[in-house]
């Protein structure tokens, strides 16, 4: 493992004194991320059909980029506009992706988009929630992401598409199955503070983020991560007091974990960066875990992984990989409350074994990709979630072990978590 810092990191005073108004409870944050992430799945289908057959309300230019014919801002869409595009082109969409645009799946789609639309209307601010950036021109073999701007919560959200989309099922699974680790760039702040001496990531997930782009006009050395960071910073130029969130489901959850941690290390990105994802598999080893803990204690990063009990995707890969951040486990049916946990440096061996079993393929053998089940369980557990505040979870020493005198020593010597 990498060298550990000689003392616990001091929380950043700029973050502690920040007057940013956070969402009122954990339910609002998780619900919003679940709804926003659904936009990317929907857009993958819409743009695919628009390029092949054409769709009323969407224009595709010669470069394959997406725009609205009634506005000057290309690739900017409100929830209401997305609903209108779907409803005005429903027969065409059904002819290409029937299972997604019929029956219960279609009803759920419209329901979640209307949640975002109602939030926008309630705020009374014109175009307060919009999809500002969307890159899917190489979606059959490349990372797909979108960026939303929320004027109500004052945040920019980077959303990654996951394995659920049939457009990239084969190539996504090839990345999911590449369990070997590969060393990637070590952020300067981690190196200078002697946090870790290297970062090794799942080679398949890392390839998605750090491979060169497919666009011929990009510089030869331009990576997908460079493109994402550039897009985030361009939006922040217009909204400098906004915070950055990162989310995704399944493969998208894995990508959001990697990109979120690297963004938290960037001195030009407002802190903290928030990762809230769903069904995210493990992406890194011990050093990645130590780096995340250091950034969380610094108040530069917040991490919440939402997992459904019985979801095997979140339990992979097992050997020499480690989850980071808080885990919110949601259960089916009524009567069983969600379970919050954290990979604390002070946990006992028995607690470690229990957490490992909870996140093992043996206990969670289920390879379905059911993003809808996550949204349903989040709503079912609303009363539990509104009792919790994301930021205050980090003050709970029973969960994190941050404020135990020997926590740093325990973390430095820990070899198993």
């Amino acid at each position: 493992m990498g060298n550990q810092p000689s003392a616990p990191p001091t929380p950043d005073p700029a973050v502690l004194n920040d007057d940013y108004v956070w969402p009122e409870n954990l339910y609002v944050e998780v619900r919003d991320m679940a709804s926003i992430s659904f936009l990317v799945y929907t857009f993958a289908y819409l743009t695919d059909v628009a390029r092949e057959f054409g769709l009323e309300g969407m224009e595709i230019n010669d470069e394959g980029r997406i725009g609205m014919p009634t506005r000057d801002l290309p690739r900017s869409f409100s929830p209401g506009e997305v609903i209108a595009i779907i409803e005005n082109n429903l027969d065409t969409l059904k002819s290409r992706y029937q299972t997604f645009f019929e029956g219960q799946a279609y009803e759920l789609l419209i329901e979640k988009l209307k949640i975002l639309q109602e939030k926008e209307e309630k705020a009374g601010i014109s175009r307060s929630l919009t999809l500002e950036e969307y890159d899917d021109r190489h979606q059959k073999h490349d990372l797909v992401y979108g960026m939303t701007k929320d004027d109500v919560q004052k945040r920019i959200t980077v959303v990654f598409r996951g394995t659920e989309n049939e457009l990239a099922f084969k190539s996504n699974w090839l990345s999911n199955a590449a369990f070997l680790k590969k060393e990637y760039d070590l952020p300067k702040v981690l190196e200078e503070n002697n946090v870790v001496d290297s970062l090794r990531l799942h080679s398949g997930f890392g390839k998605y983020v750090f491979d060169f782009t497919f666009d011929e006009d990009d510089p030869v050395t331009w990576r997908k991560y460079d493109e994402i960071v550039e897009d985030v910073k361009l939006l922040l130029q217009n909204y400098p007091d906004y915070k950055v969130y990162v989310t995704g489901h399944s493969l998208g959850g894995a990508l959001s974990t990697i990109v979120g941690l690297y963004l938290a290390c960037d001195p030009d990105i407002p802190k903290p960066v928030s990762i809230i994802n769903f069904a995210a598999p493990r992406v890194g080893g011990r050093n990645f875990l130590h780096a995340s803990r250091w950034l969380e204690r610094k108040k530069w990063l917040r991490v919440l992984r939402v997992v459904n009990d019985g979801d095997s995707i979140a339990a992979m890969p097992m050997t020499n990989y480690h989850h980071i951040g808080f885990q919110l486990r949601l259960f089916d049916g009524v009567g069983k409350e969600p379970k919050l946990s954290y990979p604390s440096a002070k946990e006992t061996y028995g607690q470690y074994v229990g957490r490992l079993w909870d996140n093992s393929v043996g206990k969670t053998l289920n390879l379905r990709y059911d993003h809808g089940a996550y949204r349903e369980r989040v709503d079912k557990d609303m009363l539990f979630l509104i009792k919790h505040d994301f930021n205050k979870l980090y003050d709970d020493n029973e969960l994190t072990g941050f404020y135990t005198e020997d926590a740093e020593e325990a973390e430095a010597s820990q070899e198993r978590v």
Side-chain angles (χ1 to χ4, degrees):
M1 62 183 279
N3 298 325
Q4 297 303 302
S6 58
T10 302
D12 187 343
V15 177
L16 295 176
N17 298 322
D18 191 0
D19 60 359
Y20 180 81
V21 179
W22 293 94
E24 55 266 37
N25 55 60
L26 192 59
Y27 171 72
V28 173
E29 295 201 66
V30 175
R31 177 205 63 193
D32 284 357
M33 291 301 105
S35 298
I36 289 171
S37 66
F38 199 61
L39 280 174
V40 171
Y41 291 90
T42 305
F43 245 72
Y45 293 118
L46 295 184
T47 57
D48 186 59
V49 175
R51 290 190 178 103
E52 186 174 354
F53 302 108
L55 289 179
E56 179 185 340
M58 293 183 75
E59 285 189 344
I60 307 294
N61 66 17
D62 294 338
E63 297 178 349
R65 297 185 183 275
I66 309 155
M68 288 286 290
T70 57
R71 285 202 319 277
D72 294 331
L73 293 176
R75 294 186 295 169
S76 177
F77 297 81
S78 71
E81 289 165 345
V82 174
I83 293 172
I85 291 170
I86 293 172
E87 292 178 340
N88 292 336
N89 298 275
L90 192 55
D91 290 339
T92 304
L93 293 168
K94 283 181 182 179
S95 68
R96 184 68 173 83
Y97 296 110
Q98 183 174 3
T99 57
F100 193 72
F101 291 101
E102 269 194 350
Q104 186 176 2
Y106 174 70
E107 292 174 2
L108 184 61
L109 162 64
I110 297 300
E111 175 190 335
K112 295 306 175 184
L113 291 176
K114 284 186 175 179
I115 288 175
L116 298 177
Q117 183 183 28
E118 290 167 3
K119 177 182 176 180
E120 181 182 37
E121 293 172 350
K122 184 178 180 181
I125 305 172
S126 176
R127 301 185 60 76
S128 62
L129 178 62
T130 52
L131 180 63
E132 292 287 320
E133 180 65 52
Y134 189 75
D135 186 346
D136 74 334
R137 283 178 292 162
H138 306 287
Q139 64 176 289
K140 294 188 178 181
H141 48 73
D142 198 5
L143 177 158
V144 173
Y145 69 95
M147 293 188 186
T148 66
K149 177 265 302 177
D150 185 336
D151 294 327
V152 179
Q153 299 294 349
K154 291 192 173 183
R155 67 182 166 214
I156 293 165
T157 303
V158 185
V159 192
F160 292 97
R161 189 195 65 194
T163 325
E164 182 178 312
N165 191 302
E166 67 181 77
L167 292 169
F169 183 83
K170 182 177 180 181
S171 60
N172 284 347
W173 260 110
L174 289 176
S175 288
N176 289 359
F179 290 163
L180 296 177
K181 291 198 198 81
K182 179 180 176 181
E183 187 169 334
Y184 288 93
D185 293 350
L186 180 63
K188 187 176 180 180
V189 69
L190 300 181
E191 182 179 13
E192 289 179 341
N193 287 277
N194 198 33
V195 180
V196 293
D197 56 13
S198 65
L199 282 182
R200 295 179 62 82
L201 306 174
H202 181 290
S203 60
F205 301 147
K207 179 180 174 66
Y208 261 111
V209 176
F210 295 108
D211 247 15
F212 301 131
T213 64
F214 283 87
D215 291 336
E216 295 178 357
D217 296 334
D218 287 343
V220 177
T221 59
W222 197 244
R223 305 170 303 174
K224 202 68 180 180
Y225 178 74
D226 300 322
E227 179 183 297
I228 294 166
V229 173
E230 180 183 62
D231 286 342
V232 171
K233 291 182 178 180
L234 284 172
L235 278 174
L236 286 171
Q237 287 179 8
N238 295 324
Y239 309 99
D241 57 340
Y242 284 28
K243 297 297 185 186
V244 176
Y245 280 66
V246 194
T247 189
H249 172 260
S250 187
L251 169 66
L255 301 178
S256 71
T257 302
I258 296 172
V259 172
L261 184 138
Y262 274 82
L263 287 176
C265 294
D266 190 314
D268 298 325
I269 301 295
K271 308 296 188 295
V273 172
S274 300
I275 303 171
I276 300 178
N277 56 34
F278 306 85
R282 298 174 176 92
V283 302
R286 283 191 303 270
N287 279 7
F288 193 77
L289 171 63
H290 290 313
S292 175
R293 281 182 179 148
W294 189 87
L295 291 165
E296 288 171 283
R297 294 189 71 167
K298 192 74 175 172
K299 302 293 185 182
W300 287 355
L301 179 66
R302 308 189 309 159
V303 184
L304 179 72
R305 296 178 300 101
V306 184
V307 302
N308 274 350
D309 191 53
D311 189 337
S312 293
I313 305 306
M316 298 191 296
M318 288 287 294
T319 307
N320 296 322
Y321 282 87
H322 307 288
H323 276 310
I324 67 171
F326 290 102
Q327 176 175 283
L328 174 67
R329 181 173 293 276
L330 305 176
F331 298 89
D332 194 12
V334 296
K336 191 167 186 178
E337 283 194 336
K339 181 180 179 181
L340 277 165
S341 61
Y342 186 87
S344 169
K346 74 180 186 66
E347 70 180 355
T348 66
Y349 184 72
Q351 290 171 326
Y352 159 72
V353 171
R355 183 166 58 81
L356 187 63
W357 171 245
D358 278 346
N359 290 284
S360 68
V361 176
K363 183 177 185 293
T364 62
L365 188 55
N366 175 12
L367 295 176
R368 293 179 302 168
Y369 291 96
D370 194 352
H371 191 44
Y374 277 84
R375 298 189 298 274
E376 292 171 0
R377 292 190 190 186
V378 167
D379 289 338
K380 174 182 72 69
D381 293 318
M382 177 182 65
L383 294 180
F384 174 89
L385 295 174
I386 61 175
K387 297 176 185 176
H388 292 83
D389 179 286
F390 196 173
N391 291 322
K392 290 181 180 178
L393 290 179
Y394 283 104
D395 297 329
D396 187 341
N397 192 52
E398 289 300 313
L399 271 176
T400 66
F402 282 174
Y403 308 108
T404 301
E405 289 184 6
D406 60 349
E408 196 68 28
E409 179 181 351
E411 182 172 343
S413 63
Q414 191 176 43
E415 295 292 332
R416 61 178 185 270
V417 177

